[in-house]
Amino acid sequence: MVDPIADRRQILRAVVEGGFEGASRQSHGLVLRLLHMSLPPDDLLRRPFDTDGAVSALSYEGYPPIAYLGFAIGAGAADAQAKAQFAERLRSMIERDGTILSALIADDAALLGVADGLSSLEGEASSDLAVGLANAASAASGMGRLRALALDLIEPRGRLSVRVGTDSLNAATTDLALRRPWPRAYESVPPLANDERVRLLARVVSEPAPGPGDLERASAWLVALDSLVSEAASGAVPTTRDVVRLLNRTQGAMKRWVWEEKPRRSGTAPARWLIDNEYHVQDFLYAVLYPLFGAEVLEEQYIKGFGFTQPRYDLSIEDLSLIIEVKFARTKKDFNKFEEQIAGDLGLYFGPQSPYEALVAYVYDDCNTHYPELYDAFRDALLKRDDRIVDVVVVRRPSMIPSRSARG
């Protein structure tokens, strides 16, 4: 029996695999960024970033290696030296090389790569570079989806709020693919409705696919196809992927978090939903998961059958044999500790008599300064640790809640 989805996926994978040869360095970076967030760690299409090659090319190749390094920084795949070289060469181009800067700004993929890197760097220097790039890029004409995302990464102004429907197949698949690596930029952008997703899936499977040499478009189609199939396959029976999707969407839900400066009613105190510790996060997740899974959601239960060693998980969903490990980050160093703690707990959670088979880690970032460049690296490190870790979700503190240092 012919499977049109499998056939289309095979065609797209072949175009992507053969498309790296001859494609620009910025296209390589964009495609790797898309694939790293969409494919499992052991998939051969998930090539590693060649940051050493990009650094070596900075002196003679113009802006493409800068853009490539930006994508690598955004993916958490660049070391301190690569970050420094990226910032130094970008500053030199902005201040002294208007010709190359103009060429970069005209190249949407390259502009997104540079914006990705800048938005993931820390410090005042990166902010200055972001302002310089935004000023130069905003004057350019046109506003494709890659350009809108790039500008919103370095200077958020809601450029992505203009909704993309399904009339243009390429625009719709590109937009769907971009949501995977940059979910926070899309927090306020409504997703496609169910009927739109069904129509888009039918078109991706039936209409002529991108041909050889069309690396960027084939990658966007492949990532979009994976997203559409995952959504369609979930049906009425919730799965582990549904849990992951729901947990990822909690970041967007926090845009309506309650933190009143003044009470809305006289004689009452301002309503303020403070999340100040791991237990608060667990309570929040319980409220999110219970409507979908009901009594199958269990809190802080001991796993039986380990004698004197009885591990206790934070949350679980029995029907899915899934544990949800909750962590609360107060400082940057906590991310390193969490990696070791979660890895160390696996042997206890998944012993021979344990009813559980998979784990999702959920980290709430309450650091005074957020470190988004850590998220992808942290996620990737844990996913490579053990196949039973199915995903890692990191969310930032809602912007209306004061930082830890301001809360006293």
Side-chain angles (χ1 to χ4, degrees):
M1 180 179 293
V2 177
D3 183 344
I5 293 177
D7 286 351
R8 181 50 51 100
R9 183 180 278 121
Q10 185 176 357
I11 291 171
L12 293 172
R13 287 181 63 89
V15 174
V16 172
E17 189 171 6
F20 278 96
E21 186 175 352
S24 67
R25 197 181 294 266
Q26 62 270 32
S27 290
H28 283 198
L30 172 60
V31 170
L32 290 178
R33 189 75 164 97
L34 293 176
L35 298 181
H36 274 231
M37 285 300 295
S38 305
L39 300 179
D42 58 348
D43 194 298
L44 295 180
L45 281 185
R46 275 187 48 142
R47 304 182 180 194
F49 279 92
D50 179 17
T51 54
D52 290 340
V55 169
S56 299
L58 285 172
S59 60
Y60 61 85
E61 204 175 294
Y63 69 82
I66 304 177
Y68 183 94
L69 287 174
F71 284 124
I73 293 169
D79 59 19
Q81 180 184 3
K83 292 178 182 178
Q85 292 285 337
F86 164 82
E88 179 182 338
R89 185 66 187 93
L90 180 60
R91 181 176 296 281
S92 174
M93 183 176 62
I94 291 175
E95 293 178 351
R96 295 191 291 273
D97 202 333
T99 302
I100 295 181
L101 177 61
S102 297
L104 183 152
I105 289 171
D107 185 327
D108 287 0
L111 182 63
L112 178 57
V114 173
D116 193 21
L118 281 176
S119 66
S120 301
L121 290 179
E122 309 167 35
E124 185 176 339
S126 63
S127 298
D128 291 343
L129 288 172
V131 171
L133 183 64
N135 288 340
S138 296
S141 60
M143 189 59 71
R145 213 57 178 166
L146 267 64
R147 176 175 295 274
L149 172 59
L151 293 176
D152 266 5
L153 286 175
I154 55 179
E155 189 184 40
R157 287 189 180 179
R159 299 173 183 87
L160 290 170
S161 60
V162 178
R163 193 171 179 276
V164 174
T166 57
D167 292 341
S168 169
L169 180 55
N170 289 324
T173 51
T174 297
D175 195 63
L176 199 56
L178 294 176
R179 288 174 180 264
R180 287 284 185 95
W182 295 283
R184 289 174 182 83
Y186 277 89
E187 286 174 6
S188 60
V189 184
L192 292 174
N194 287 339
D195 60 332
E196 290 179 308
R197 298 181 76 87
V198 171
R199 288 199 300 271
L200 183 58
L201 176 58
R203 294 186 64 188
V204 170
V205 170
S206 63
E207 296 194 14
D214 203 346
L215 177 62
E216 290 183 18
R217 200 158 63 98
S219 300
W221 277 47
L222 180 62
V223 174
L225 178 61
D226 178 68
S227 176
L228 292 165
V229 170
S230 297
E231 288 276 1
S234 63
V237 180
T239 66
T240 297
R241 299 314 306 175
D242 292 316
V243 175
V244 171
R245 192 158 42 246
L246 189 60
L247 295 179
N248 272 302
R249 288 175 177 174
T250 56
Q251 181 74 73
M254 289 177 179
K255 70 179 182 179
R256 298 300 301 268
W257 204 254
V258 175
W259 191 270
E260 294 179 347
E261 295 300 324
K262 298 179 181 179
R264 296 196 177 206
R265 199 160 49 86
S266 61
T268 62
R272 294 178 176 177
W273 297 356
L274 176 62
I275 299 178
D276 199 45
N277 55 56
E278 186 176 303
Y279 296 106
H280 291 165
V281 181
Q282 291 179 28
D283 292 342
F284 166 62
L285 293 183
Y286 186 87
V288 168
L289 294 168
Y290 189 88
L292 187 59
F293 294 98
E296 292 299 322
V297 183
L298 302 178
E299 302 178 86
E300 296 198 311
Q301 302 276 334
Y302 287 98
I303 299 177
K304 298 177 182 179
F306 286 83
F308 292 107
T309 303
Q310 288 192 308
R312 185 175 69 174
Y313 54 74
D314 298 319
L315 291 166
S316 78
I317 300 174
E318 276 195 319
D319 274 358
L320 301 179
S321 300
L322 176 68
I323 288 173
I324 301 172
E325 182 82 349
V326 179
K327 296 295 182 183
F328 189 91
R330 294 176 175 85
T331 69
K332 184 178 182 180
K333 294 180 180 178
D334 285 343
F335 285 90
N336 289 330
K337 291 193 297 184
F338 294 161
E339 183 183 340
E340 297 305 320
Q341 290 170 359
I342 293 170
D345 287 339
L346 294 178
L348 299 175
Y349 288 153
F350 302 121
Q353 300 183 53
S354 171
Y356 296 100
E357 300 173 355
L359 179 145
V360 175
Y362 185 94
V363 181
Y364 179 90
D365 180 5
D366 194 39
C367 300
N368 282 323
T369 301
H370 293 305
Y371 301 97
E373 74 280 2
L374 291 178
Y375 298 168
D376 288 339
F378 173 70
R379 178 181 182 271
D380 216 34
L382 276 175
L383 291 178
K384 290 177 180 177
R385 286 265 188 171
D386 197 295
D387 290 341
R388 292 168 295 189
I389 302 177
V390 295
D391 216 328
V392 179
V393 178
V394 184
V395 301
R396 301 184 193 179
R397 174 185 64 244
S399 59
M400 59 286 294
I401 296 182
S403 65
R404 297 188 64 79
S405 58
R407 298 202 296 262

